[in-house]
Amino acid sequence: MVHLSRGVVATCLTLLAHSSGITAEESSTNPIVADGTSFALNGNNVAYRIHVDNTTGDLLGDHFGGSVGAHIPLEVVGDVHGWNGYIGRVRREFPDQGRGDFRTPAIRIRQSQGYTVSEFQYKSYKIIPGKPALPGLPATTGTEEDVSTLVISLYDKYSDVGADLSYSIFPKYDAIVRSVNITNHGKANITIESLASLSVDLPFEDLDMISLRGDWAREAHRERKKVTYGTQGFGSSTGYSSHLHNPFLALTEPSATESHGEVWGFSLVYTGSFSVNVEKGSQGFTRALLGFNPSQLSWNLPPGETLTSPECVSVYSKDGIGGMSRSLHRLYRKHLIKSKFATSDRPTLLNSWEGLYFDYNQSSIYDLAKEAAEVGAKLFVLDDGWFGREYPRLSDDAGLGDWIPNPDRFPDGLGPIVKNITDLKAANSSTNMRFGIWFEPEMVNPNSTLYNEHPDWALHAGPYPRTERRNQLVLNLALPEVQDYIIKSVSDVLKSADISYVKWDNNRGIHEMPSPATDHAYILGMYRVFDELTTQFPDILWEGCASGGGRFDPGVLQYFPQIWTSDNTDAIDRISIQLGTSLAYPPSAMGAHLSEVPNQQTGRTVPVAVRGHVAMMAGSFGLELDPAVMNAEDKAALPGLIALAEKVNPIVLTGDMWRLNLPEDSNWPAVLFIAEDGQKAVLFVFQLAPNVAHSWPRVRLQGLDAQASYKIDGGVVYSGGTLMNIGLQFPFKGDYGSQVVMLEKQ
């Protein structure tokens, strides 16, 4: 039986803190304060505290939450009994494996000799103004005024492996961004079997966890449950971030709501397979880890080489779940999305897919574009089916990989049809139509010239069958020659005509891989392709898509300012999908379209106004239909809905979102967007089911200036206090009702 008293260590650390020279003012006002044994990161409303245990050399966490002073009470550890030693009873910043901490480790390394024990001890630190880029990976960015970075170096002297832990603090957003570099300084190969970008141990408290689950056409459904003793978590093994689970986690106090309570949000900036683990250990601490999926890593690291983890953004909110979301939204709009279109110039579009599918020619495409212009759309997007020579893309069983215009459909190439369409004028506007096009460059059909010439370019596992989904296989973007082919093929098309928008699709997960490490190598290759093309064509508006929201993640947002939120265009389902997605992602990044009824996915018929109002809660508003076959009443409503969408779009793109009522909690979901300067706001209110012989609830607004006055739809004026404390009533007839209300600060 071993007894270890924590009292001696605690006293030593307290004395070190008092002799460190860190003043209370420094600790609370400087973004980063460090003295080599203790470290403080400070945001406007967040504090992060860690220190070095001088007895063990371990890096321990002290606090992640609301602002605190220079000195804080250290964790009390009682006498140690039983199997769980001291190392398993403290809050560790980078828990390694094999030395008595029986909780989930942040890293597992298999040494060349076969063992998986590591002992990382504190070595040094440095503070960097600004934030360094991550090699080959998307990452948040900022100037020295926006962000500061603390790098703490740990070292395992037995294996000669180093770990550099990076902490970047964005004070304005209460955001701390974490990543890890693992470097092999030894003489033999090692294998990184698991690696978390972020590991944090929170104190002994009751907590809830919130995640986003779903599947194709029902993405981003909010899941909230109590954190219990033991492990619980989720992830993706599809090769991508996936529809099934999103790389996002929130931990909350049990009483936290949209507007009240403490919330910690974690968002992994990565598009590959991932893992989220939440473990409440025997001592009551809750450990959260986000990073690579261990089943798809096994990364060989030769001497002298480094593996960099994706970064994980963490934010703290004292203002509930909504406060967490708004911090992430602002950070991502301003410091993640690189595109010039991040918060501007999102033309109303019409996409050809649900209007024509594969059944079209040059003439019918022009007719559809003309119909789009006549109802007020500003951008026409040609979806699937335009390519393939020897294997024309007449259905989904041929042509992927052969990015050459189909000579039967477009005998003179894309140039003439694109010119004809861009010569059109949008109705009631002097604006010429723009032209966009669909690609799925990461995929290949076996019925294609590319596959016949390069069958080994498709991902496969030796002699095992190559499993097709949607009649297609996945190209191995881990190969530089595949990356180069995609870059050249897409570039050639974009240079051939006046194309100003690209929809980049991906319609299946990855099945067979030659090795677990292929997934990360693929993602690195994909990021290289994204970076090269978006840099080469900065004036093109790029939209990501993966059978809808299969890759709605921060990694894609680095390159593409918007993502198609779901293939499900049913307006009622979309309320839940879009509000769920907004837990982590700004509405400015969402694509949403008004489609025909009965809806192609659900068969439901919803009034055209409701369909339009739901779609305009996204940054990219569009149409997914053929106006020529719509009923006359619905078609007549399109110009007005487009005009309203264009009016509210600047507020949606740059403003703050307040989820007032959630569809899972209320028959009257409601959302408020407030402009960045606070001068304008737009309120969306919906009714899902009839309200018969009953009073109408009031929708209480949030986020307004209580002392200011607001004009409602150009008429009645109310104070902000009245709107927030009493609210507005909206009577609806029947089911599926909606109303959009404009507010102007007086």
Side-chain angles (χ1 to χ4, degrees):
M1 184 179 293
V2 178
H3 295 273
L4 175 65
S5 173
R6 178 63 170 149
V8 174
V9 177
T11 302
C12 178
L13 288 172
T14 302
L15 290 172
L16 284 172
H18 279 287
S19 63
S20 66
I22 299 176
T23 67
E25 182 180 1
E26 285 178 324
S27 181
S28 61
T29 60
N30 292 338
I32 299 175
V33 183
D35 70 349
T37 58
S38 58
F39 305 91
L41 290 85
N42 303 293
N44 289 357
N45 302 287
V46 68
Y48 199 101
R49 300 286 187 270
I50 51 185
H51 75 269
V52 179
D53 186 324
N54 288 342
T55 301
T56 65
D58 208 354
L59 192 63
L60 303 183
D62 298 314
H63 176 72
F64 178 22
S67 300
V68 296
H71 306 304
I72 61 176
L74 293 176
E75 203 78 47
V76 175
V77 180
D79 289 343
V80 176
H81 300 279
W83 291 9
N84 201 357
Y86 168 72
I87 198 172
R89 297 168 180 257
V90 291
R91 295 163 59 185
R92 305 178 68 203
E93 279 295 289
F94 192 62
D96 45 24
Q97 176 164 311
R99 298 187 294 114
D101 184 351
F102 299 112
R103 295 166 292 179
T104 307
I107 185 167
R108 185 172 65 250
I109 300 175
R110 180 161 43 86
Q111 310 291 348
S112 60
Q113 299 91 338
Y115 44 76
T116 57
V117 178
S118 296
E119 184 172 342
F120 286 100
Q121 294 187 335
Y122 174 73
K123 180 182 178 184
S124 62
Y125 78 94
K126 59 182 176 181
I127 298 174
I128 303 170
K131 182 173 181 290
L134 297 188
L137 288 165
T140 50
T141 62
T143 67
E144 297 178 11
E145 288 73 30
D146 302 315
V147 59
S148 302
T149 300
L150 168 69
V151 179
I152 300 177
S153 295
L154 310 178
Y155 199 76
D156 182 345
K157 64 184 179 182
Y158 302 100
S159 64
D160 289 321
V161 176
D164 292 327
L165 312 185
S166 176
Y167 299 76
S168 295
I169 174 88
F170 288 85
K172 183 178 178 182
Y173 306 93
D174 295 326
I176 298 165
V177 181
R178 297 274 301 274
S179 64
V180 183
N181 281 345
I182 303 298
T183 303
N184 182 0
H185 297 287
K187 297 180 179 180
N189 287 4
I190 61 175
T191 302
I192 312 298
E193 294 191 333
S194 69
L195 179 62
S197 302
L198 174 145
S199 175
V200 63
D201 289 344
L202 296 177
F204 171 44
E205 293 176 352
D206 287 330
L207 295 172
D208 287 354
M209 60 182 286
I210 301 174
S211 61
L212 296 173
R213 62 161 180 85
D215 207 319
W216 174 79
R218 53 179 175 84
E219 296 90 340
H221 281 56
R222 183 188 302 217
E223 182 86 359
R224 181 169 180 168
K225 58 188 176 184
K226 179 182 176 64
V227 175
T228 59
Y229 280 91
T231 59
Q232 48 249 275
F234 54 90
S236 171
S237 58
T238 68
Y240 308 115
S241 48
S242 87
H243 308 77
L244 310 180
H245 297 283
N246 196 272
F248 161 79
L249 167 73
L251 295 174
T252 78
E253 57 181 356
S255 60
T257 66
E258 275 291 319
S259 54
H260 300 286
E262 287 192 297
V263 179
W264 295 260
F266 307 95
S267 180
L268 188 67
V269 185
Y270 191 56
T271 310
S273 292
F274 70 93
S275 175
V276 174
N277 279 298
V278 178
E279 180 176 4
K280 190 167 186 176
S282 65
Q283 300 297 302
F285 297 140
T286 295
R287 175 172 291 175
L289 305 103
L290 293 87
F292 291 114
N293 186 324
S295 70
Q296 295 180 0
L297 186 58
S298 294
W299 191 267
N300 179 54
L301 198 63
E305 293 196 5
T306 297
L307 173 64
T308 300
S309 80
E311 70 178 27
C312 184
V313 175
S314 62
V315 298
Y316 168 77
S317 168
K318 61 182 177 57
D319 298 319
I321 300 166
M324 172 208 68
S325 295
R326 286 184 290 278
S327 290
L328 284 171
H329 296 175
R330 294 167 191 152
L331 181 70
Y332 284 171
R333 285 197 305 261
K334 296 180 182 295
H335 297 286
L336 176 73
I337 303 171
K338 289 184 175 180
S339 170
K340 62 186 280 186
F341 301 103
T343 55
S344 66
D345 196 17
R346 304 290 184 85
T348 299
L349 64 86
L350 184 143
N351 185 288
S352 69
W353 180 243
E354 287 194 20
L356 299 177
Y357 294 100
F358 287 108
D359 185 18
Y360 63 78
N361 56 32
Q362 187 167 277
S363 176
S364 59
I365 285 296
Y366 178 77
D367 290 342
L368 183 59
K370 189 176 179 182
E371 288 279 348
E374 288 175 355
V375 297
K378 310 296 190 300
L379 166 65
F380 176 80
V381 180
L382 176 61
D383 210 282
D384 200 353
W386 58 269
F387 52 91
R389 183 176 292 163
E390 290 83 4
Y391 298 86
R393 181 75 166 175
L394 305 179
S395 65
D396 65 14
D397 64 358
L400 280 178
D402 300 342
W403 301 106
I404 300 169
N406 181 338
D408 293 328
R409 290 183 167 177
F410 303 102
D412 299 315
L414 292 176
I417 182 66
V418 171
K419 185 179 186 309
N420 289 340
I421 290 173
T422 55
D423 282 343
L424 294 169
K425 302 284 187 184
N428 302 315
S429 170
S430 59
T431 303
N432 279 53
M433 287 285 285
R434 304 185 202 180
F435 183 88
I437 198 164
W438 177 96
F439 287 96
E440 194 175 359
E442 298 164 66
M443 302 291 155
V444 64
N445 287 122
N447 293 325
S448 67
T449 302
L450 177 64
Y451 188 78
N452 280 295
E453 292 179 353
H454 299 287
D456 286 344
W457 283 10
L459 279 170
H460 63 284
Y464 286 91
R466 302 182 179 196
T467 307
E468 295 179 27
R469 289 288 297 158
R470 203 175 181 248
N471 304 305
Q472 64 195 53
L473 299 169
V474 184
L475 290 172
N476 186 358
L477 269 74
L479 301 175
E481 56 268 33
V482 173
Q483 301 166 26
D484 292 341
Y485 175 82
I486 294 173
I487 291 168
K488 184 178 186 307
S489 297
V490 174
S491 297
D492 287 347
V493 174
L494 298 182
K495 292 174 183 175
S496 72
D498 184 11
I499 296 170
S500 58
Y501 169 101
V502 167
K503 179 179 179 180
W504 186 291
D505 209 345
N506 180 306
N507 280 303
R508 59 158 290 176
I510 296 174
H511 294 179
E512 296 86 22
M513 287 187 286
S515 74
T518 301
D519 182 51
H520 184 51
Y522 176 106
I523 296 299
L524 291 175
M526 183 198 75
Y527 288 146
R528 183 214 158 197
V529 170
F530 286 179
D531 187 59
E532 294 253 358
L533 286 171
T534 55
T535 300
Q536 186 179 354
F537 299 98
D539 296 327
I540 286 179
L541 173 57
W542 298 78
E543 179 179 80
C545 178
S547 297
R551 295 199 307 201
F552 208 122
D553 62 69
V556 170
L557 286 180
Q558 173 93 105
Y559 310 98
F560 301 163
Q562 64 185 52
I563 300 173
W564 180 231
T565 318
S566 176
D567 280 349
N568 186 345
T569 57
D570 177 90
I572 304 306
D573 282 357
R574 267 303 192 106
I575 296 174
S576 294
I577 291 171
Q578 289 171 211
L579 265 60
T581 302
S582 75
L583 275 179
Y585 306 104
S588 63
M590 298 182 205
H593 295 172
L594 187 167
S595 62
E596 187 57 287
V597 290
N599 182 265
Q600 295 289 329
Q601 289 77 39
T602 66
R604 180 158 39 199
T605 296
V606 176
V608 67
V610 178
R611 285 177 273 153
H613 294 163
V614 173
M616 65 182 71
M617 290 195 297
S620 177
F621 172 83
L623 309 176
E624 194 86 20
L625 45 77
D626 182 354
V629 299
M630 293 179 71
N631 70 61
E633 184 178 353
D634 283 2
K635 183 177 180 180
L638 292 182
L641 288 170
I642 290 173
L644 179 59
E646 291 175 349
K647 183 178 181 181
V648 306
N649 189 243
I651 304 175
V652 173
L653 283 175
T654 63
D656 280 335
M657 179 188 196
W658 297 76
R659 296 179 293 261
L660 305 178
N661 294 328
L662 300 175
E664 56 264 41
D665 298 333
S666 172
N667 188 49
W668 295 275
V671 179
L672 180 69
F673 294 89
I674 302 177
E676 195 169 20
D677 63 5
Q679 295 302 304
K680 293 183 179 181
V682 56
L683 171 66
F684 294 86
V685 183
F686 302 94
Q687 176 168 286
L688 304 181
N691 185 47
V692 181
H694 197 281
S695 63
W696 301 97
R698 293 184 181 273
V699 178
R700 293 187 181 186
L701 279 55
Q702 297 179 36
L704 302 178
D705 180 347
Q707 305 306 315
S709 297
Y710 293 85
K711 183 176 289 189
I712 309 300
D713 278 340
V716 182
V717 176
Y718 297 110
S719 73
T722 298
L723 294 171
M724 292 190 289
N725 295 319
I726 296 179
L728 299 172
Q729 286 181 298
F730 299 95
F732 295 104
K733 292 183 179 179
D735 51 11
Y736 309 143
S738 63
Q739 192 160 340
V740 178
V741 178
M742 301 296 300
L743 291 79
E744 291 188 57
K745 192 174 185 180
Q746 300 302 291

